[in-house]
Amino acid sequence: MTRSWFGSSAVHPGWPMSVGPLRVRAGEVRLRPIRMRDAAAWSRLRIDDRRFLEPWEPSAEVDWVARHGISSWPSMCSALRGEARKGRILPFVIEVDGQFAGQLTIGNITHGALRSAWIGYWVHSELTGGGVATGALALGLDHAFGPVHLHRVEATVRPENAASRAVLAKAGFREEGLLRRYLDVDGGWRDHLLVAMTVEEVSGSVAASLVRAGKASWA
Ligand code: ACO
């Protein structure tokens, strides 16, 4: 059967697939599709890390704890997997040594003449500083520019988010500008830096660049 990105039989290039592993200081990092049985780990880490995550995440009307209860996961997971099958999003769990350590999402995927998407991530506070986000981002970018055939990936980050800006810089993102009052985050309209990368800027692969720079090694 002939498949097309636009017809009813469209499939997602690169979904469902696992990506990696790549070894960083904290352990072996891998991306894999979210699944229903992630509910307990997702809920526990998100509720434990409320203070750490809330300053950087879009505001919501529902309280953090209610929104991150175990019972919230099945409908969210199923909706995200449905969007993934349609080729619009890639919702990954970041695993470190086989354990749930955070999430990396590639969203608003468009094909055709744009071939673009955004990327975002979070890592459990107990694992930060070990290169996990950098490794996961490199794997996500290589997946986006490889099997998904994207041309451009962008990200937005609050100027105050020094750790995430460091992660983006290590992966090779380039700043394109400041988006004023871009997103409602932590109860207010916050400026965000727009950063981007196109496939022409990748030398071989992003993971290989990290390995060459001594920031990761092949697992
Ligand atoms: N100032 C400057 N650099 C800093 C600071 C700081 N205050 N804090 C940490 N860093 C650096 C670290 O030194 C490290 O760089 P190095 O390896 O060269 O020493 C880098 O930031 C962090 O790199 P990783 O270890 O790969 O990242 P980590 O696994 O710790 O995860 C993350 C970083 C994802 C930002 C984590 O802290 C987190 O989840 N924060 C809350 C949620 C969040 O901010 N998500 C990102 C939103 S923006 C986006 O998604 C595009």
Side-chain angles (χ1 to χ4, degrees), residues 1 12 58 70 76 93 95-96 105 116 130-131 141 151 161 167 196 208:
M1 182 172 64
H12 197 316
I70 289 180
M76 195 187 321
V93 162
E95 281 187 353
V96 175
T105 306
S116 171
L141 288 166
H151 174 251
N161 194 343
V167 169

Side-chain angles (χ1 to χ4, degrees), residues 25 52 56 120-123 128-131 133-134 156 161-162 164 166-167 170:
R25 292 190 303 279
F52 174 67
W56 316 116
Y121 44 78
W122 65 272
V123 169
T128 51
T134 306
T156 54
N161 194 343
S164 186
V167 169
K170 281 189 283 177

Side-chain angles (χ1 to χ4, degrees), residues 24-25 46 49 52-57 119-125 127-137 154-158 160-168 170 192 195 215:
V24 298
R25 292 190 303 279
R46 297 281 301 178
D49 269 351
F52 174 67
L53 296 171
E54 217 167 15
W56 316 116
E57 299 225 350
I119 199 162
Y121 44 78
W122 65 272
V123 169
H124 180 37
S125 59
L127 285 164
T128 51
V132 174
T134 306
L137 183 58
E154 61 185 40
T156 54
V157 61
R158 290 184 64 180
E160 304 89 335
N161 194 343
S164 186
R165 287 181 68 180
V167 169
L168 292 162
K170 281 189 283 177
H192 279 68
V195 301
K215 294 191 179 298

Side-chain angles (χ1 to χ4, degrees), residues 28-32 35 38 93-102 132:
E28 211 169 273
V29 176
R30 188 172 74 108
L31 304 178
R32 55 124 176 114
R35 55 193 182 209
D38 290 324
V93 162
I94 303 171
E95 281 187 353
V96 175
D97 295 334
Q99 300 298 310
F100 189 119
V132 174

Side-chain angles (χ1 to χ4, degrees), residues 15-27:
W15 179 268
M17 270 175 74
S18 289
V19 192
L22 188 65
R23 177 158 288 285
V24 298
R25 292 190 303 279

Side-chain angles (χ1 to χ4, degrees), residues 29-116:
V29 176
R30 188 172 74 108
L31 304 178
R32 55 124 176 114
I34 57 165
R35 55 193 182 209
M36 281 295 173
R37 58 183 185 280
D38 290 324
W42 169 80
S43 174
R44 184 174 58 77
L45 265 50
R46 297 281 301 178
I47 289 176
D48 280 0
D49 269 351
R50 176 180 186 161
R51 288 224 179 108
F52 174 67
L53 296 171
E54 217 167 15
W56 316 116
E57 299 225 350
S59 307
E61 282 170 18
V62 182
D63 172 71
W64 185 273
V65 174
R67 196 152 46 98
H68 291 94
I70 289 180
S71 61
S72 299
W73 180 255
S75 57
M76 195 187 321
C77 180
S78 145
L80 286 169
R81 289 187 66 105
E83 288 297 289
R85 282 191 295 276
K86 291 177 191 146
R88 295 181 188 138
I89 198 164
L90 288 160
F92 288 116
V93 162
I94 303 171
E95 281 187 353
V96 175
D97 295 334
Q99 300 298 310
F100 189 119
Q103 287 176 276
L104 178 138
T105 306
I106 300 172
N108 200 22
I109 296 171
T110 49
H111 292 284
L114 196 54
R115 284 166 48 200
S116 171

